[in-house]
Amino acid sequence: MPVNGLAPYDDSNIFARILRGEIPCKKVFENDFALAFHDINPQAPVHVLVIPKGRYVSFADFSSKASETEQAGFLRAVGQVARQLGLDEPGYRIISNMGPHSHQEVPHLHVHILAGKKLGALIVGGTEPPP
Ligand code: AMP
């Protein structure tokens, strides 16, 4: 059964493999709820991904199924990573792509933290969905 338009959680996805230590990452933060590491293909001078430790396909999956403790822990971790990286001033952008129209590529929830320069418009490009 699809979960919010995505396939069910796949334990072989790349972020699951990073969580299991099977693939290396450039880690910046870890606690009981989250792991944060540098994006392999940075789109800004700072581009860090924050992922929950639990098996959640997307933001929709996480926000509907994760416990209050997991949700609070993950949200706090995102803020803590940004603070640790010294990004609160002059600011940063957080994005989480959810589903095919958003261009989500990895089916494990992740929040992008983008910073380090004046970021452009929120939405650039894209294609019209089929009718
Ligand atoms: P999204 O399109 O929102 O699913 O973003 C997936 C992100 O994961 C992209 O920005 C990729 O560059 C990044 N990515 C894919 N594989 C890795 C990896 N092994 N280590 C770090 N980042 C990765």
Side-chain angles (χ1 to χ4, degrees):
M1 277 290 282
V3 180
N4 304 119
L6 296 171
Y9 192 83
D10 172 7
D11 283 299
S12 67
N13 81 74
I14 193 117
F15 293 168
R17 298 183 66 197
I18 286 175
L19 278 171
R20 291 196 297 269
E22 295 167 6
I23 292 179
C25 71
K26 286 174 66 182
K27 180 161 63 171
V28 297
F29 173 94
E30 182 169 18
N31 70 5
D32 287 347
F33 302 103
L35 173 69
F37 50 90
H38 290 281
D39 195 291
I40 205 166
N41 183 22
Q43 302 297 308
V46 178
H47 188 172
V48 166
L49 302 172
V50 191
I51 67 175
K53 291 273 177 91
R55 299 164 75 254
Y56 298 101
V57 171
S58 66
F59 180 76
D61 188 25
F62 182 76
S63 58
S64 61
K65 297 207 189 111
S67 69
E68 306 284 314
T69 305
E70 284 175 293
Q71 295 198 34
F74 180 68
L75 189 63
R76 283 185 180 280
V78 174
Q80 201 171 335
V81 171
R83 253 189 320 282
Q84 178 181 307
L85 294 170
L87 304 178
D88 282 3
E89 296 292 339
Y92 56 91
R93 178 174 292 160
I94 55 176
I95 296 174
S96 186
N97 293 319
M98 156 55 219
H101 271 200
S102 74
H103 208 272
Q104 181 178 358
E105 290 179 340
V106 180
H108 181 114
L109 169 62
H110 47 285
V111 168
H112 299 253
I113 300 179
L114 297 149
K117 67 173 188 180
K118 278 194 176 177
L119 300 167
L122 182 57
I123 309 279
V124 181
T127 52
E128 290 299 317

